[in-house]
Amino acid sequence: MAALPLPPANGGLLLRIPQMDCPTEEGQIRRALEGFTDIRSLRFDLPARALTVDAPHAVWPAVTAAITQAGFKAEALSVPPSAEQTARAQRREWLRLVAALGVAAAAELLHLLAPQGMAWQAAGMVAAVIAIALSGLAVFRKGLAALLRGQLNINALMAVAVSGAFAIGQWPEAAMVMALYALAELIEARSVERARHAITGLLALTPAQAEVRQPDGSWARLDAKTVAVGATVRVKPGERLALDGRVTAGQSAVDQSPVTGESVPVDKAAGDAVFAGTINQGGSFEFEVTQPAAGTVLAGIIRAVEAAQGQRAPTQRFVDRFAAVYTPAIFVLALAVAVGTPLLLGWPWLSAIYKALVLLVIACPCALVISTPVTIVSGLAAAARRGILIKGGVHLEQARRLRVLALDKTGTLTEGRPILVAQQAPDGAALPDRVAQLALSLAARSDHPVAQAIARGLPGEARPVNEFAAAAGRGVTGRVDGMALLLGNHRWIHERGLCTPALEAVMQAHEAEGRTVSLLADEGGVLALFAVADTAKPSSREAVAALRELGIAPVMLTGDNPTTAQAIARQLSIDEVRAELLPQDKQAAIGELGARGPVGMVGDGVNDSPSLAAAAVGFSMGAAGTDTAKEAADVLIMNDDLRKVAETIRLSRRTHALLWQNIVLALGIKAVFFVLAVFGNATMWMAVFADMGASLLVVFNGLRLLRR
């Protein structure tokens, strides 16, 4: 698999670590570097045995020293390994292990089929030594280093088990066990890389070149990394976008699923944002580049997922702590079987030692240790594929615990801008076209959001307005076709004595629905009534229903007035509403709701930041369209689809279920073979296959999260 390192924008320490060839070593290095607060992110490339450390230059020597102290040799690199170099290294690795398996099989055949004699036995032993050397030298080096540091890890267990088997004459089994163990480690490492590259692989789909307008007006294909911000890029039908930008000419439908997870193409026209890695499915269009190649939304997603992988989830921390006790305990148990049973129970020494060695092989906690990271990484990658960016495994696990979800109203449950929802004559009749044109002419001259909503909602073209004036907090006046007109709010019409009981009743009915009413009047009276409202998004009702199905209580928190808030809540079947809240009030509400259980918060604005930070899990909406990441949130929904919140919670619950399935599988298989080993019914062959089989089971079970 091609290496896809993303060097930090400000540079980083690039290391080659020859002994790092499986997720176990990666975990040891992560733990060795946990104390460095200056490290921003760690990016591991197991196939290339490379590590990129995003940290200030001043801490590089200390980082290298910590890795060395953990028992790993660290070599500085000037450039990341190329895809070709990584592929070549992988081929060498597979060939070496295939050769080791072949030689180990030859040793086994010599032991079983060759005539009894010193020469044939010596040939078999030589074959076993060659197989162990081909597959296990790195294991012996790492195991010896661990033993010298007083540690009992997986490599130490395997080194002792293989050495002991060879010493008691079971050299064919020793060779095959080491070869199969090395093969299992390689498969595990590649499986973790598959999960990790499920997202970074999207970067490879981003075109390396873009068609850029030149100063003389011609077009030229240039390396995307060299295209400057502000340049104009042209995209043809069927092409992928190489950079982020804003459409300046043309229109099309764009498949944004790699970035936002949207299942249907999104229409784009002048002024709309477009993202690198998305696919133009319609006509040609041009866009102005708004970010360099290294700063695209897609590149940011990849960096964020890589950083999230470095945060260990609660289950992963539990497994690490368990393995730290489990491995030494098994070593002591094996020692007791090897020494204690001959002395206390009279078992033959060779038989007791063999059973102890089988225990050591079975005891290797590979499956247990690998069960959590591969599942967590798969969950993070699966979420990012769906346009959900989770900032760490801890938040992926925490989401399943939510019992209450607080929802901001404006921009989260609603569209976030007012639209014209009703227009009528004072008597309730349909509005004449001429009256609508008069209202459009006045509204188009105002910059007030309500007036702009009326102007957007009325058809036709605005006519010239003379003597235009705005009255703060009331409305606007002007002359259109010689007629003196005003477009104002309820209060202004009331102050002018133009209200009637029938008109008051109509306005009150609209206002009870949370609508803002504006009226068009001339000197003789009211000509038209317009109702404007911030409407609920089409997906919000479905999203709230999905939350209820998951057993989560939705609560609306808004700074809007109670009437408008209750109107939206009724539309969406939200029972609990807290209105007229300041940012600090929302934060306090999160604390109060916490009495019912873990509380999530969904918001989209700066004023939601305190409550997002206070919540057990904070969800930020529409993150793909913002210039800066929502730092206070734990989960970023890349588009503004509220249904993604329920999808995140479902993914969290499935991830948790798979985590515990893997733990039960790993420990259950080992428990069965413990019993078989103690009572003499298990061989080292069976032990290594059990360990290898358990490891592959938990790996493939965790990778199921990547399936759509």
Side-chain angles (χ1 to χ4, degrees):
M1 185 178 292
L4 294 168
L6 248 179
N10 60 344
L13 173 61
L14 185 60
L15 298 170
R16 181 178 182 274
I17 305 175
Q19 300 100 327
M20 184 183 71
D21 53 12
C22 81
T24 302
E25 280 84 43
E26 177 184 325
Q28 291 173 345
I29 293 170
R30 285 191 185 278
R31 287 190 288 276
L33 300 179
E34 279 182 344
F36 290 86
T37 56
D38 292 329
I39 293 179
R40 291 178 284 270
S41 68
L42 298 172
R43 282 183 289 283
F44 289 86
D45 183 6
L46 291 181
R49 292 184 169 90
L51 166 63
T52 304
V53 183
D54 183 4
H57 188 275
V59 303
W60 289 8
V63 167
T64 306
I67 294 173
T68 303
Q69 189 175 359
F72 298 91
K73 182 181 178 182
E75 305 166 354
L77 296 176
S78 55
V79 293
S82 67
E84 184 180 351
Q85 289 172 324
T86 301
R88 196 161 52 241
Q90 287 185 39
R91 283 194 297 271
R92 286 197 301 267
E93 190 89 355
W94 284 110
L95 288 172
R96 181 172 60 80
L97 288 182
V98 168
L101 283 170
V103 177
E108 190 73 40
L109 289 173
L110 284 170
H111 178 66
L112 294 175
L113 305 177
Q116 294 298 316
M118 289 297 295
W120 288 105
Q121 291 296 313
M125 292 182 68
V126 169
V129 170
I130 292 173
I132 292 171
L134 284 171
S135 59
L137 281 183
V139 174
F140 274 102
R141 282 196 298 266
K142 289 181 285 191
L144 181 60
L147 289 172
L148 291 175
R149 295 194 308 273
Q151 298 176 353
L152 288 173
N153 60 17
I154 295 169
N155 294 306
L157 288 182
M158 285 305 301
V160 171
V162 170
S163 300
F166 204 95
I168 64 173
Q170 299 293 332
W171 39 265
E173 284 193 55
M176 189 58 74
V177 163
M178 183 57 80
L180 289 173
Y181 173 75
L183 178 63
E185 291 284 284
L186 184 61
I187 293 173
E188 288 172 10
R190 299 303 174 264
S191 300
V192 173
E193 287 302 302
R194 177 190 166 190
R196 182 171 289 142
H197 289 319
I199 292 304
T200 56
L202 292 174
L203 194 63
L205 301 179
T206 304
Q209 293 185 323
E211 193 174 12
V212 185
R213 178 184 287 159
Q214 303 302 294
D216 62 0
S218 63
W219 297 88
R221 298 201 72 83
L222 304 177
D223 187 334
K225 295 178 182 178
T226 66
V227 178
V229 173
T232 299
V233 173
R234 181 169 65 185
V235 185
K236 296 176 182 176
E239 286 186 341
R240 283 185 181 266
L241 280 68
L243 298 154
D244 287 2
R246 196 165 297 281
V247 177
T248 55
Q251 56 185 14
S252 182
V254 177
D255 176 6
Q256 295 192 153
S257 57
V259 174
T260 65
E262 289 164 296
S263 58
V264 295
V266 180
D267 291 331
K268 298 291 183 179
D272 291 334
V274 290
F275 310 109
T278 59
I279 307 166
N280 177 22
Q281 295 196 328
S284 296
F285 65 88
E286 299 173 12
F287 67 89
E288 179 185 352
V289 177
T290 56
Q291 293 288 343
T296 64
V297 169
L298 184 58
I301 291 172
I302 294 167
R303 280 195 292 269
V305 172
E306 287 176 335
Q309 291 168 11
Q311 300 180 20
R312 288 187 295 157
T315 303
Q316 191 170 353
R317 290 196 295 268
F318 161 75
V319 167
D320 287 347
R321 290 195 300 269
F322 179 83
V325 176
Y326 164 86
T327 306
I330 292 300
F331 195 89
V332 172
L333 176 62
L335 191 62
V337 170
V339 178
T341 55
L343 296 176
L344 300 176
L345 302 178
W347 290 9
W349 279 95
L350 284 181
S351 174
I353 292 172
Y354 183 79
K355 289 178 180 181
L357 296 175
V358 173
L359 276 177
L360 288 182
V361 175
I362 293 172
C364 284
C366 293
L368 183 63
V369 172
I370 198 65
S371 63
T372 46
V374 72
T375 307
I376 292 295
V377 170
S378 296
L380 294 172
R385 280 180 171 181
R386 293 162 171 75
I388 304 165
L389 185 55
I390 304 175
K391 292 185 177 180
V394 62
H395 310 304
L396 176 61
E397 281 207 60
Q398 182 72 0
R400 72 179 178 84
R401 301 177 181 274
L402 296 180
R403 293 294 174 266
V404 181
L405 193 70
L407 300 146
D408 174 52
K409 179 182 77 70
T410 306
T412 299
L413 291 166
T414 67
E415 296 289 355
R417 66 171 187 168
I419 62 172
L420 181 63
V421 294
Q423 51 180 304
Q424 64 185 72
D427 59 1
L431 198 62
D433 291 343
R434 182 173 179 278
V435 175
Q437 190 179 44
L438 294 174
L440 169 63
S441 302
L442 271 182
R445 288 289 303 274
S446 173
D447 58 1
H448 193 279
V450 172
Q452 288 296 305
I454 294 172
R456 286 193 303 269
L458 293 174
E461 295 184 4
R463 300 182 63 79
V465 179
N466 298 317
E467 302 176 20
F468 179 83
R474 286 172 170 77
V476 296
T477 60
R479 286 186 176 274
V480 181
D481 295 338
M483 293 179 59
L485 300 168
L486 70 84
L487 181 65
N489 59 23
H490 184 173
R491 182 174 65 175
W492 204 17
I493 295 297
H494 186 80
E495 289 173 353
R496 286 175 171 258
L498 299 177
C499 274
T500 64
L503 190 60
E504 283 282 359
V506 173
M507 286 191 288
Q508 287 175 6
H510 281 296
E511 288 169 352
E513 293 297 318
R515 299 170 177 175
T516 300
V517 178
S518 296
L519 302 105
L520 178 71
D522 62 6
E523 294 173 344
V526 174
L527 302 175
L529 179 147
F530 302 94
V532 168
D534 181 11
T535 59
K537 295 176 183 177
S539 60
S540 292
R541 178 181 289 275
E542 186 180 338
V544 171
L547 291 171
R548 289 189 182 280
E549 287 178 8
L550 292 169
I552 297 170
V555 178
M556 182 191 292
L557 303 182
T558 179
D560 212 337
N561 66 77
T563 302
T564 301
Q566 288 289 351
I568 296 294
R570 282 195 298 272
Q571 294 177 35
L572 302 177
S573 301
I574 296 177
D575 300 326
E576 186 172 351
V577 178
R578 302 191 183 193
E580 296 183 333
L581 300 180
L582 297 172
Q584 58 268 33
D585 299 327
K586 288 186 179 182
Q587 185 179 11
I590 295 293
E592 294 172 16
L593 293 170
R596 306 183 198 174
V599 181
M601 171 68 191
V602 187
D604 70 328
V606 175
N607 62 327
D608 296 320
S609 295
S611 47
L612 287 171
V617 181
F619 298 83
S620 176
M621 301 293 287
T626 60
D627 294 330
T628 57
K630 300 294 181 61
E631 295 296 333
D634 306 307
V635 180
L636 306 182
I637 307 298
M638 302 309 290
N639 59 14
D640 59 355
D641 189 345
L642 189 61
R643 291 172 295 187
K644 299 280 187 181
V645 175
E647 191 172 347
T648 304
I649 295 167
R650 282 193 292 268
L651 179 63
S652 173
R653 292 181 180 181
R654 189 173 177 220
T655 301
H656 180 76
L658 288 182
L659 281 171
W660 282 99
Q661 285 175 23
N662 284 345
I663 291 171
V664 171
L665 269 173
L667 292 179
I669 290 172
K670 290 186 182 301
V672 169
F673 274 85
F674 277 157
V675 175
L676 292 175
V678 170
F679 289 98
N681 297 317
T683 65
M684 291 189 74
W685 268 81
M686 294 170 62
V688 76
F689 272 116
D691 181 66
M692 184 178 180
S695 297
L696 294 182
L697 273 176
V698 300
V699 164
F700 293 134
N701 194 38
L703 290 176
R704 285 166 52 204
L705 288 170
L706 292 176
R707 288 155 54 182
R708 285 281 186 182

